Amino acid sequence: MLTGCHGLTFMDALRKVWFMSVILVTGGAGYIGSHLCKALAQRGFVPVTYDNFVTGHRWAVRWGPLEEGDLADRARLDRVLERHRPAAVMHFAASTFVGESVANPGKFYRNNVAGSLSLLEAMRDHAIQKLVFSSSCAVYGAPLQLPLTEAHPQRPVSPYGFTKHVVERLLADFGRAHGLHSISLRYFNAAGADPDGDAGEVHLPETHLIPLALAAVAGHAPPLTILGTDYATPDGSCVRDYVHVTDLAAAHVQALMAMEHFPAGQGVAEAFNLGAGQGYSVLQVLAMIRQLTGREVPAVVGPRRPGDPPLLVGDASRARQELGWSPGYSSLATIIETAWNWMQHMPPA
Ligand code: UDP
């Protein structure tokens, strides 16, 4: 870590510069967005949530002002940008269910691509030059080699993955044309909950493995269906790279800081993988839940889910080296413990 004058570290000095800066967080009422708002507030920023509450939760907006609105509503976006004059935007608002994107691609192109375009044009017109984008490992499609690095070819399989790919391209084009500075963060499997129990995952409907398995243990949900045990993996079930949501939030703040070093007057679009770098199978996740809760996960074996790749593991060494990202919560045990704690205390949906 670089150290400046008066014993301040370089990061301390940057924090002083940014202190009380307003950051617009689209989708700030969602799962990852709400954790990010907490991380920003803890570091002296003012996170302004912009959310249409189609999937977000009002109880999740706790760390800064709320502006209700839709990305498609350009007049509303203009008023919000005028009122708060954010120093940067963190862009989470999007439709995210991969299966739904196959059944209803129009919704995903409208919300994710057209919505992002509306945001970028509003930012351009208000001279806001910094954006951190919530991207996904779905941009890569079926892995040709593992772990996936940022250089892996991008051949997304689902409309969801393709919308993330297109928005990354939009960011690069807006960089070249309008000088936008952007960082896309390609998450692997976001999981876990705020370690203090202040935020966590509530999706309607829930489709993700860990909350579904924990809900089954708690008796709030039917037995989990294990979606395939006949894959070419060590135990036959799918392997994923689970990364803690608090570590994802921290990476966004570090990305914001990193953009301070981008050359002025010249667009830059960077992308970083965010994963723990360790794969766990569905059966290993269930075994860890059993170990930590002392209870068996009620489960049945079902067929494969179409489009599920057998193995997805990310190489996040670039984020570690260039952003100084150091995920401290992403052990499988911490992910499950925090998610289990959240399940005991979460507000009713
Ligand atoms: N999975 C499962 N049962 C479920 C939901 C998920 O077996 O009810 C498996 C799924 O096949 C995948 C892993 O759990 O291998 C993680 O799925 P999730 O939906 O949490 O995230 P994804 O990898 O699809 O983004």
Side-chain angles (χ1 to χ4, degrees):
M1 181 75 70
L2 295 171
T3 306
C5 55
H6 310 303
L8 280 181
T9 66
F10 181 69
M11 290 302 272
D12 287 337
L14 269 179
R15 276 188 202 110
K16 279 173 99 73
V17 171
W18 282 94
F19 185 67
M20 293 306 282
S21 282
V22 171
I23 309 295
L24 187 77
V25 184
T26 77
Y31 172 41
I32 307 173
S34 58
H35 287 79
L36 182 263
C37 287
K38 179 176 178 181
L40 284 173
Q42 283 178 325
R43 292 161 176 83
F45 296 92
V46 178
V48 175
T49 288
Y50 188 79
D51 204 294
N52 63 7
F53 292 102
V54 169
T55 55
H57 306 282
R58 287 180 196 279
W59 51 255
V61 185
R62 299 179 45 185
W63 293 280
L66 166 66
E67 293 283 1
E68 190 163 350
D70 197 287
L71 291 176
D73 186 346
R74 177 61 205 271
R76 177 88 183 110
L77 265 179
D78 282 336
R79 283 198 302 279
V80 168
L81 294 179
E82 190 58 44
R83 180 177 306 149
H84 295 282
R85 298 180 182 277
V89 175
M90 305 253 183
H91 178 31
F92 295 86
S95 299
T96 60
F97 294 122
V98 175
E100 189 193 10
S101 81
V102 177
N104 190 2
K107 173 178 172 181
F108 281 68
Y109 287 101
R110 189 167 53 251
N111 289 346
N112 298 4
V113 178
S116 297
L117 179 58
S118 169
L119 174 67
L120 289 179
E121 289 183 326
M123 288 175 63
R124 178 199 60 201
D125 295 349
H126 290 265
I128 299 162
Q129 294 281 52
K130 292 186 174 70
L131 181 134
V132 182
F133 175 54
S134 169
S135 190
S136 166
C137 64
V139 298
Y140 298 118
L144 302 174
Q145 71 267 332
L146 291 168
L148 287 150
T149 68
E150 290 84 356
H152 187 281
Q154 293 188 38
R155 299 185 307 187
V157 175
S158 65
Y160 166 74
F162 198 74
T163 63
K164 293 291 177 184
H165 174 66
V166 171
V167 174
E168 288 199 18
R169 175 62 195 256
L170 271 176
L171 296 175
D173 289 343
F174 269 63
R176 275 186 286 273
H178 308 301
L180 180 73
H181 288 175
S182 68
I183 291 184
S184 296
L185 298 175
R186 297 175 184 158
Y187 319 145
F188 283 72
N189 282 60
D194 178 63
D196 305 324
D198 288 338
E201 189 166 15
V202 180
H203 292 117
L204 292 172
E206 187 53 78
T207 61
H208 292 116
L209 174 66
I210 292 174
L212 283 174
L214 292 176
V217 169
H220 303 156
L224 178 82
T225 302
I226 301 168
L227 299 170
T229 51
D230 56 351
Y231 285 99
T233 58
D235 64 19
S237 65
C238 281
V239 171
R240 293 290 180 273
D241 182 346
Y242 296 92
V243 54
H244 198 284
V245 63
T246 298
D247 288 329
L248 294 180
H252 286 72
V253 181
Q254 286 167 308
L256 183 63
M257 304 295 187
M259 285 194 291
E260 281 301 287
H261 303 290
F262 286 2
Q266 181 183 328
V268 181
E270 295 285 355
F272 296 90
N273 285 341
L274 296 179
Q278 167 82 49
Y280 290 97
S281 72
V282 173
L283 297 180
Q284 285 176 314
V285 170
L286 301 190
M288 182 66 86
I289 291 175
R290 184 169 56 241
Q291 187 185 319
L292 293 173
T293 64
R295 299 192 220 169
E296 201 64 43
V297 182
V300 295
V301 174
R304 294 180 178 194
R305 184 167 61 182
D308 261 350
L311 289 148
L312 275 181
V313 180
D315 178 344
S317 40
R318 187 159 182 249
R320 289 170 182 270
Q321 283 153 21
E322 297 185 27
L323 301 180
W325 186 55
S326 161
Y329 294 95
S330 291
S331 71
L332 186 60
T334 302
I335 285 172
I336 291 171
E337 275 163 0
T338 55
W340 182 236
N341 178 51
W342 170 247
M343 187 149 289
Q344 324 298 309
H345 301 108
M346 66 197 226

